[in-house]
Amino acid sequence: MHADYMQCTGLSILQAPTPLPGHRIRPAEANDVDVAAKFCRDYSSYPYSLDEGAARREARALIDKKALFFYEVGNATEGYSATSIVAVGRSSMNVASITKVFTLTDSRRMGYASRLLHHVCSHLLNEEDKSAVVSLVPSGNEGYKRLAMRIGFGRTTSGNNEWLEMGFEDVNVGHW
């Protein structure tokens, strides 16, 4: 798979839009495993497809690490329901990686992923004091590339797209 690494820094991030009225952004919690697992399974694809058990394990691991965030839409009869997720993957003292940005098919093109990704990047850069957030952008995924660029992601400044990810410890190669 050919892909590019892009980065977002405190200097490049654009002003984050707030959630729409009746919507909210929040970190996933222990009682969200079922919903999170469905998103993890729906996000996965060959050759890293997840079955239900693997998706639950991944969801639990992301929740335990406080690395999964939801964009939720509220409605008067059913309460809030998740429409989008962003997952933070590997992280070092100064750099964090975004590994999943996914929106349910019926909720796409409404700005939910953009608002959520803005929020998560702002949180990482400002509250967790990261100097950069990186994301792998698969070739051919022009929608995600445009989304990332609208938030303030650009090509890595090092000139070598792999260098920002160097130094992560305890990394399992494969599905991320």
Side-chain angles (χ1 to χ4, degrees), residues 19-32:
L20 296 167
H23 298 191
R24 68 181 181 187
I25 293 172
R26 68 176 182 85
E29 299 171 349
N31 63 339
D32 293 318

Side-chain angles (χ1 to χ4, degrees), residues 43-72:
Y43 175 85
S44 70
S45 60
Y46 178 82
Y48 304 113
S49 299
L50 299 177
D51 62 25
E52 192 170 329
R56 286 184 69 75
R57 286 188 298 278
E58 181 170 328
R60 244 188 237 106
L62 288 168
I63 291 168
D64 289 348
K65 291 187 326 186
K66 299 183 182 342
L68 186 66
F69 296 82
F70 287 125
Y71 189 96
E72 297 180 320

Side-chain angles (χ1 to χ4, degrees), residues 20-112:
L20 296 167
H23 298 191
R24 68 181 181 187
I25 293 172
R26 68 176 182 85
E29 299 171 349
N31 63 339
D32 293 318
V33 169
D34 291 338
V35 173
K38 179 167 178 13
F39 274 94
C40 288
R41 189 177 63 249
D42 290 350
Y43 175 85
S44 70
S45 60
Y46 178 82
Y48 304 113
S49 299
L50 299 177
D51 62 25
E52 192 170 329
R56 286 184 69 75
R57 286 188 298 278
E58 181 170 328
R60 244 188 237 106
L62 288 168
I63 291 168
D64 289 348
K65 291 187 326 186
K66 299 183 182 342
L68 186 66
F69 296 82
F70 287 125
Y71 189 96
E72 297 180 320
V73 175
N75 99 24
T77 57
E78 298 175 21
Y80 287 95
S81 61
T83 61
S84 301
I85 61 164
V86 167
V88 179
R90 298 171 241 167
S91 189
S92 69
M93 185 185 313
N94 296 315
V95 179
S97 65
I98 299 296
T99 57
K100 288 179 180 35
V101 177
F102 183 74
T103 299
L104 298 173
T105 304
D106 314 6
S107 300
R108 292 184 182 163
R109 307 199 56 77
M110 296 182 190
Y112 303 156

Side-chain angles (χ1 to χ4, degrees), residues 5-8 65 87-99 124 128 130-136 153 156 160-173 176:
Y5 280 101
M6 296 181 80
Q7 73 171 347
C8 182
K65 291 187 326 186
V88 179
R90 298 171 241 167
S91 189
S92 69
M93 185 185 313
N94 296 315
V95 179
S97 65
I98 299 296
T99 57
L124 293 167
E128 293 193 19
K130 302 294 182 190
S131 61
V133 178
V134 295
S135 186
L136 183 68
F153 278 86
T156 60
N160 183 335
N161 289 337
E162 289 80 30
W163 288 114
L164 270 180
E165 197 171 3
M166 297 294 279
F168 289 111
E169 296 178 12
D170 302 320
V171 173
N172 292 325
V173 178
W176 34 264

Side-chain angles (χ1 to χ4, degrees), residues 109-170:
R109 307 199 56 77
M110 296 182 190
Y112 303 156
S114 178
R115 285 176 167 79
L116 180 57
L117 187 57
H118 264 105
H119 175 86
V120 172
C121 289
S122 294
H123 169 79
L124 293 167
L125 293 167
N126 299 319
E127 296 173 41
E128 293 193 19
D129 206 29
K130 302 294 182 190
S131 61
V133 178
V134 295
S135 186
L136 183 68
V137 181
S139 292
N141 191 339
E142 294 302 315
Y144 179 60
K145 186 175 186 176
R146 283 191 305 275
L147 168 72
M149 291 175 74
R150 277 195 309 268
I151 290 164
F153 278 86
R155 292 189 55 82
T156 60
T157 57
S158 67
N160 183 335
N161 289 337
E162 289 80 30
W163 288 114
L164 270 180
E165 197 171 3
M166 297 294 279
F168 289 111
E169 296 178 12
D170 302 320

